[in-house]
Amino acid sequence: AEPSVQAGYGGSPSYAVQTNLAGTLHCLESARRSRADIVFLSTSRVYPIEPLRRLRLREENERFELEERQDLPGVSTAGVAEDFPLAGARSLYGATKLASELMVLEYLSMYGLRGVVNRCGVIAGPWQMGKTDQGIVALWTARHMFKKPLRYVGFGGQGKQVRDFVHVEDLYRLLALQLKDLPRHSGQVYNVGGGRANSFSLRELTSACRAVTGHRVEVASSPQTHPADVPVYLSDARRAREATGWAPRLDLEATVAGTARWIAAHETRLKEILAA
């Protein structure tokens, strides 16, 4: 899959569409022929940009926070729920994933297959080759490990924008629970993420990386906001938790520490990839 929300900006949409949407259709056809079960990892980016930018926020010292009172349905201090409005543009990447969701659900209904859709927020952990537009925890940790500069981009360049995350091991545990009881979850769409408890601003991620690595790196500021960016996204994952009993176990400090150990164990090979 193409995992970058910036895919297609300033260029042709063909690669993202062929990879994400056409790729999904190829997988669905294979599942139809072999009667395979389907677990589709979608994205929080199916939710449209402009409504997310209109959420009521307050600015704290280290982050933006969601206000209790909101003007849109499907959002609370717990985050964005599955019934958040879907009308509006969401990036080419988000559109390919939402279109894929619709095709998954159609195949389940038309061909009697079993499957579940998980709308994931930020995924983190070892073996993620982080870049500026994808894999932020791995990128931030690596830049601190290798003492390379970083930059807060957008929303005033203060690093207060917030995302929740789920460690890949926690995501695996959820998938195992769903597959163990797939008939119960078939046809369901779940938001999957850490919620407010497992969230960070870029400023807070910087502090965590400094604490784990013992290194301080230069962090520059670029106030201009990318068209696809939003100031806050938290996954309201209560539906998935209530359906499975699942909850994330690995917090930000543990995730950064585990990523740092992975980088240290493969430093020579990873330096050319993650420190560029």
Side-chain angles (χ1 to χ4, degrees):
E2 168 52 61
S4 173
V5 72
Q6 296 183 18
Y9 280 94
S12 170
S14 179
Y15 172 74
V17 172
Q18 291 298 322
T19 302
N20 287 351
L21 181 53
T24 297
L25 292 173
H26 289 312
C27 291
L28 289 172
E29 272 297 283
S30 178
R32 180 185 64 83
R33 291 191 298 267
S34 62
R35 308 299 300 171
D37 295 331
I38 300 162
V39 176
F40 182 66
L41 295 186
S42 188
T43 173
S44 61
R45 286 295 187 163
V46 301
Y47 299 112
I49 296 167
E50 193 273 333
L52 290 175
R53 287 189 173 183
R54 286 195 285 113
L55 297 181
R56 292 180 178 271
L57 308 175
R58 68 177 183 274
E59 185 174 351
E60 305 286 358
N61 289 335
E62 295 295 310
R63 59 158 58 201
F64 298 124
E65 293 277 16
L66 290 171
E67 294 278 15
E68 289 188 14
R69 184 173 72 86
Q70 297 290 339
D71 300 323
L72 292 170
V75 62
S76 67
T77 54
V80 172
E82 293 85 353
D83 56 347
F84 189 81
L86 289 173
R90 70 209 74 246
S91 78
L92 180 71
Y93 163 73
T96 64
K97 300 295 269 190
L98 181 58
S100 293
E101 284 188 16
L102 296 175
M103 294 306 300
V104 169
L105 296 176
E106 290 296 331
Y107 266 69
L108 300 185
S109 175
M110 182 171 291
Y111 300 113
L113 302 177
R114 305 186 307 179
V116 62
V117 172
N118 293 305
R119 292 174 176 166
C120 300
V122 171
I123 300 173
W127 296 103
Q128 187 175 44
M129 303 300 170
K131 303 183 294 182
T132 56
D133 58 348
Q134 191 268 331
I136 187 67
V137 176
L139 172 68
W140 230 252
T141 305
R143 291 293 176 90
H144 279 79
M145 291 283 289
F146 297 125
K147 300 181 181 179
K148 297 290 184 178
L150 286 162
R151 186 179 300 273
Y152 297 142
V153 178
F155 303 103
Q158 299 301 304
K160 293 186 178 184
Q161 57 263 56
V162 171
R163 298 291 185 273
D164 71 330
F165 75 96
V166 61
H167 192 286
V168 65
E169 292 181 10
D170 284 326
L171 177 59
Y172 171 81
R173 288 193 303 104
L174 175 62
L175 300 184
L177 289 169
Q178 291 174 335
L179 289 169
K180 187 176 180 180
D181 193 13
L182 193 55
R184 179 184 178 190
H185 302 292
S186 187
Q188 296 299 310
V189 176
Y190 296 120
N191 281 355
V192 175
R196 174 62 179 80
N198 262 24
S199 68
F200 59 84
S201 68
L202 291 180
R203 294 172 69 93
E204 292 166 340
L205 180 57
T206 297
S207 296
C209 290
R210 288 173 176 173
V212 167
T213 66
H215 299 161
R216 297 178 70 90
V217 302
E218 176 188 353
V219 184
S221 176
S222 294
Q224 186 173 359
T225 302
H226 189 275
D229 205 2
V230 296
V232 173
Y233 182 83
L234 300 176
S235 301
D236 184 346
R238 285 178 290 184
R239 181 182 292 181
R241 295 185 186 197
E242 291 168 1
T244 62
W246 169 85
R249 295 174 181 170
L250 295 166
D251 62 13
L252 182 61
E253 182 178 355
T255 301
V256 171
T259 304
R261 288 193 296 271
W262 162 65
I263 294 171
H266 304 275
E267 181 174 354
T268 301
R269 296 170 63 191
L270 290 176
K271 190 170 186 177
E272 293 184 4
I273 301 170
L274 297 177

